Amino acid sequence: MSKQEGQVDAALCCSPVMREPLTAEQSTELARVFKAIGEPVRLRLLSLIASHPGGEACVCDLAGAFELSGPTISHHLKVLRESGVIEGERRGTWIYYRVRPETLRAVSSVLVPADAGAVTA
């Protein structure tokens, strides 16, 4: 894990937005993750990786799903990786990507209201 990805985890881990105000650092890191996954191609890439058998996908498995050039796909994967949403591992000439569940858990947890478990009458 890179230093940058570690900073994303640290900034997001502890402050649900619906329960208490975010710090400036937390809101910056959270916005970066939302911006990364808020683009349709990147959201679809994330979905393809997460749903791929074994939970990881080779870039060669992903490129065929889009009518985009290889460099464009690589750019979108780079944005997802730099935001801490996915991580990649080089194996020979290919890079295999997998979702970083801790980042998705942190992002989703900030949106859960404090009373999400409570039943209203």
Side-chain angles (χ1 to χ4, degrees):
M1 173 174 26
S2 72
K3 179 180 174 186
Q4 192 173 18
E5 291 168 348
Q7 290 171 343
V8 170
D9 291 343
L12 295 180
C13 75
C14 304
S15 183
V17 72
M18 299 295 191
R19 296 181 192 138
E20 61 187 60
L22 294 170
T23 66
E25 181 183 353
Q26 289 168 323
S27 62
T28 299
E29 290 304 320
L30 185 61
R32 195 167 114 172
V33 172
F34 279 124
K35 184 176 179 180
I37 62 177
E39 200 282 332
V41 170
R42 291 193 286 264
L43 186 57
R44 187 158 174 231
L45 280 168
L46 179 62
S47 173
L48 288 167
I49 294 166
S51 64
H52 202 270
E56 66 179 13
C58 173
V59 69
C60 60
D61 297 326
L62 302 170
F66 300 91
E67 293 184 18
L68 299 170
S69 69
T72 300
I73 297 295
S74 293
H75 165 74
H76 287 299
L77 290 167
K78 177 183 175 185
V79 171
L80 288 169
R81 193 180 70 249
E82 288 180 345
S83 69
V85 175
I86 63 172
E87 57 190 1
E89 177 184 333
R90 181 171 292 281
R91 297 181 198 156
T93 59
W94 297 108
I95 299 177
Y96 288 78
Y97 293 97
R98 67 189 148 277
V99 173
R100 296 188 66 227
E102 62 274 15
T103 300
L104 296 184
R105 270 194 297 276
V107 169
S108 65
S109 73
V110 300
L111 299 176
V112 176
D115 62 351
V119 176
T120 57

